[in-house]
Amino acid sequence: MQLILPLHSLIQRTCQFHPWYSTLLSQQGITPESCESTILSDLPLITSERLEQHYYAAAARTEPGLSVYKTSGTSSGIRKAIYYSPEDDEHYIAAKKASFQEWLNAEITGQQTAPPFRKALADMGTGHAASTAMSIFASLGYEADSLSFALPIEEHIRKLSSFKPDLFYTMPSILDAIASAADDLKQFGIRKIILVGEMAPLDWQANIAARFGIEPTDVLDTYGSIEIGAIASYSHTLGRYLFVDGIYAEALPAEQIDPRFEPLPASESVLVLTSSNRTVFPALRYVTYDVVRDFQTILVDGQERQSFRCIVKRIGSELKHGEKISLYDIESVVNRFVPDAELRVSLRNNRLSVHIRSKMLDEERLADIRHAIEHTIGEIGQMIENRMLEGITVTRAADNEQLERGAVKSKKIYF
């Protein structure tokens, strides 16, 4: 997989938009004027610390036509402002549209006589994916609408009932909330679901698809970030996530990112991305802190494509020992026992708690889930054996209990 632009052109462009990057290069003995022989591994990593020091702390950009998206605060207390130029937005929309079209045109389910898709509904809140969804659907020829995730869940259900979209573009946690509140998910007539924003284990995808009356292949999981834009999407045919054009990925050991990080299992690595498509964000060896499993380059239709099997967790600068635990693996285990599960995972006082809401849950299954988490997820079993974890508690949530933080729950481990 190759970058669209030569590396020296990306270096010079990054220095043009982000003058502080030249200082980082000089510390590596590199100058933008003489970098034709530079290879990617020579370049500095764009870590969260460097972004806080240089990018997020910089004065507001004033170029005409910029879009700005505000995200959660950094460790210094500064709220992140991430910019997109019109060119950045065009690349993002084109990448999203291409991945959607490739999947929609594949006729995965084999329903050759199915009526065409006419309506699409975006339900994911604010941010870049939400703001561009309507443009993408309009370009695909759909009648499109959207609603805010901040609305009460009854409003989401009411909108689905009245609009009846063929295609539903949303977040896993919103689907969980809808599935918990609606009596019959098949009534909405949804034929395809596109996911964004959070981890979606395959077992969870299969369970949610069955509840909507569709096949697992009718669910497209996409991976992106506000910093980079569109990154990858899942191929049911290959069983892997494939990177979009213009992205070059590296999979690095955690201790290479930061020597304070403990080594990951042999099959896991931290994803570092370089993008040809971003200008007003320094997307040269940007550290995502996402941990991917089984990263490799494969042949697809005669072309080399970078890929990975799944995202298992995210590590961060606070270096908590709980970051050894994979939420992906915990969700996968739970969904094998109860297909309607919503869960909240927390780690406090060295005890892992898994709190589950499910209409199918009984005492026997609670015990089975606890045993499976402890004995099939190696890192958790090892942490218990080494007394880094005191144990696991698996409990049932009441039907009316609020598992969410704010409007929808977040797919994360709470510390």
Side-chain angles (χ1 to χ4, degrees), residues 375-387:
H375 291 87
T376 65
I377 302 177
E379 290 82 0
I380 291 178
Q382 186 177 39
M383 289 174 74
I384 292 174
E385 183 178 340
N386 295 338
R387 298 184 179 177

Side-chain angles (χ1 to χ4, degrees), residues 396-410:
R396 183 195 298 109
D399 290 344
N400 59 351
E401 184 174 344
Q402 186 82 359
L403 290 182
E404 298 80 5
R405 170 173 288 186
V408 294
K409 75 176 172 58
S410 178

Side-chain angles (χ1 to χ4, degrees), residues 353-371:
S353 297
V354 183
H355 200 46
I356 307 168
R357 176 162 55 207
S358 166
K359 296 176 182 177
M360 303 175 63
L361 204 56
D362 54 29
E363 292 301 322
E364 183 178 352
R365 286 185 179 176
L366 282 173
D368 289 342
I369 290 170
R370 181 183 181 280
H371 183 273

